[in-house]
Amino acid sequence: MKNTATIYVRSICLLLFMCTVVACSTPTLHSVKLVPNEVTNFFVIDAWVNDKQGRFLLDTGAARTLISYKFADENWIDRNEDTSIGTVAFGEIKFHTISISSFELNTVHGRKLIPLMEVNVHDLTFVNEGLKGVDEQPIDGIIGADFLLLTGATIDYGNLTLSFDVPNL
């Protein structure tokens, strides 16, 4: 009888321990309400780079998060660090890679800091000209797959939300 009681108590302790581990490892998800453009269905999100607010297009097909030359220049973000050549759908393109001190998104519970340390800087004039043609305001940058992968982001199209976790880096 003592043996059965000991096994039972140990099983309960193990179960409680496992529940605690699962609860502690469950990520805290942050959500951004997505509002699609009526014509294009594009999602534009308010974001802050080095405490400077901008409009960022959520682009699941973009490999990297980037900011426009104009946004970098207007907000004194130094873009002279590194010039790289990257591959895009139509070939290779030159862009600057810069380190930023902060990247924040406006979630349903306020601004949330994301540890995104590098972004690309590129001319977005052609993108903004296209957006102008469908009555969309210009954007200051693009949130790409590097952010989506880093944060384990998911898009719930039914509820129009972007949910993500902030990793501890």
Side-chain angles (χ1 to χ4, degrees):
M1 186 67 118
K2 183 178 176 188
N3 229 1
T4 304
T6 303
I7 292 172
Y8 179 73
V9 169
R10 286 183 180 167
S11 297
I12 295 292
C13 288
L14 181 61
L15 180 62
L16 289 173
F17 173 75
M18 290 172 57
C19 289
T20 303
V21 169
V22 169
C24 289
S25 64
T26 301
T28 303
L29 292 180
H30 305 280
S31 296
V32 174
K33 188 69 179 157
L34 299 174
V35 180
N37 175 284
E38 292 180 14
V39 176
T40 63
N41 285 325
F42 290 154
F43 298 123
V44 176
I45 299 172
D46 286 333
W48 287 259
V49 174
N50 296 351
D51 288 324
K52 306 297 182 188
Q53 184 175 2
R55 292 172 36 85
F56 283 71
L57 179 71
L58 179 62
D59 186 350
T60 60
R64 299 269 304 173
T65 297
L66 59 89
I67 61 174
S68 69
Y69 285 137
K70 180 180 177 191
F71 184 80
D73 292 343
E74 288 175 353
N75 294 294
W76 304 285
I77 298 171
D78 183 15
R79 61 179 168 102
N80 296 321
E81 288 187 22
D82 183 28
T83 301
S84 305
I85 296 178
T87 304
V88 292
F90 50 84
E92 290 184 344
I93 192 166
K94 286 187 179 179
F95 53 84
H96 291 89
T97 301
I98 63 168
S99 295
I100 57 174
S101 59
S102 68
F103 184 78
E104 297 174 274
L105 291 184
N106 196 25
T107 70
V108 294
H109 297 292
R111 285 169 49 177
K112 189 65 189 168
L113 180 65
I114 316 319
L116 186 66
M117 301 310 289
E118 289 187 342
V119 295
N120 291 342
V121 185
H122 190 65
D123 183 6
L124 293 180
T125 304
F126 69 99
V127 174
N128 284 323
E129 288 297 318
L131 290 172
K132 191 168 136 183
V134 291
D135 293 326
E136 178 68 68
Q137 295 297 312
I139 60 168
D140 299 302
I142 294 174
I143 298 173
D146 56 344
F147 166 83
L148 300 172
L149 292 169
L150 176 72
T151 63
T154 58
I155 300 172
D156 181 340
Y157 289 97
N159 292 313
L160 293 174
T161 56
L162 169 71
S163 298
F164 62 92
D165 183 27
V166 178
N168 295 324
L169 297 177

